[in-house]
Amino acid sequence: MWQRLPTRDKLAGWGLNLPTNCLLCGTGSETSDHLFFSCNYSTEVWTSFFSQSSLSRPSVFPDVVDWVRTVTSSKKVKVIIKLIFQACIYFLWRERNSRLHSAMLKPSHVIQREIQLQIRARLLGLDWESYKALATRSASQSSYLTLWFEMFQPRKA
Ligand SMILES: [Zn+2]
């Protein structure tokens, strides 16, 4: 997924004569690392999910895989972090494309909200699956949604 997206730096590298500025902030140049990581707009989206816990995401993408593997011993927290990453990348790329093809600009708090709703719906589904699988249910285990609200749900908005 990562380096395969046709960001503007790639298109310019293929000889296409296009503007290379970032569509989310308008100032940086659009590389994958900028668009999804160092861009102010993206950073606002990301940090909302990591401001509550002591977790802080790595600043460059190649470190993410190792970080997710080692950041916590909780399987469920790992699942939630992976979902946050997938959803942030997906929604940021979608917002970037919608800005390219239309004049619709969503502020970062709207994207944050969309990501939250998406993830919470997914976690509810996962909790329901583990509830049904009674054999593997342990009473002391927090549900995905409990962990979400304890650790990741942004306080404002
Ligand atoms: Zn940017």
Side-chain angles (χ1 to χ4, degrees):
M1 163 193 73
W2 181 239
Q3 291 293 347
R4 293 176 180 233
L5 297 172
T7 43
R8 291 175 144 190
D9 62 320
K10 285 253 181 55
L11 298 175
W14 297 338
L16 295 174
N17 189 16
L18 294 168
T20 56
N21 60 305
C22 171
L23 287 154
L24 299 181
C25 66
T27 53
S29 108
E30 193 192 73
T31 61
S32 295
D33 265 316
H34 172 81
L35 188 66
F36 298 111
F37 273 73
S38 47
C39 181
N40 286 342
Y41 182 98
S42 307
T43 303
E44 279 168 29
V45 172
W46 285 111
T47 50
S48 66
F49 299 109
F50 291 108
S51 58
Q52 242 208 93
S53 62
S54 53
L55 306 170
S56 61
R57 67 168 176 115
S59 54
V60 292
F61 188 80
D63 295 342
V64 167
V65 177
D66 277 342
W67 180 75
V68 172
R69 197 176 297 141
T70 55
V71 68
T72 169
S73 56
S74 163
K75 262 170 101 172
K76 286 189 172 179
V77 173
K78 267 182 212 182
V79 167
I80 296 173
I81 290 174
K82 282 184 200 163
L83 283 173
I84 293 173
F85 270 87
Q86 288 165 3
C88 284
I89 301 286
Y90 174 80
F91 278 86
L92 289 169
W93 182 245
R94 204 183 63 165
E95 173 62 14
R96 177 262 187 207
N97 287 330
S98 111
R99 289 176 181 219
L100 184 62
H101 302 296
S102 78
M104 280 262 296
L105 308 184
K106 288 182 188 166
S108 62
H109 68 88
V110 173
I111 304 284
Q112 280 169 21
R113 179 89 188 138
E114 288 176 353
I115 293 174
Q116 279 174 43
L117 296 177
Q118 182 83 18
I119 291 179
R120 275 152 50 183
R122 180 77 187 112
L123 296 177
L124 184 64
L126 290 174
D127 279 333
W128 179 238
E129 279 167 33
S130 38
Y131 178 76
K132 282 189 298 180
L134 287 174
T136 59
R137 189 170 64 150
S138 142
S140 63
Q141 246 189 1
S142 297
S143 72
Y144 282 107
L145 273 179
T146 305
L147 290 169
W148 168 264
F149 280 103
E150 281 173 5
M151 297 182 69
F152 300 102
Q153 173 67 30
R155 288 297 187 208
K156 51 171 188 163

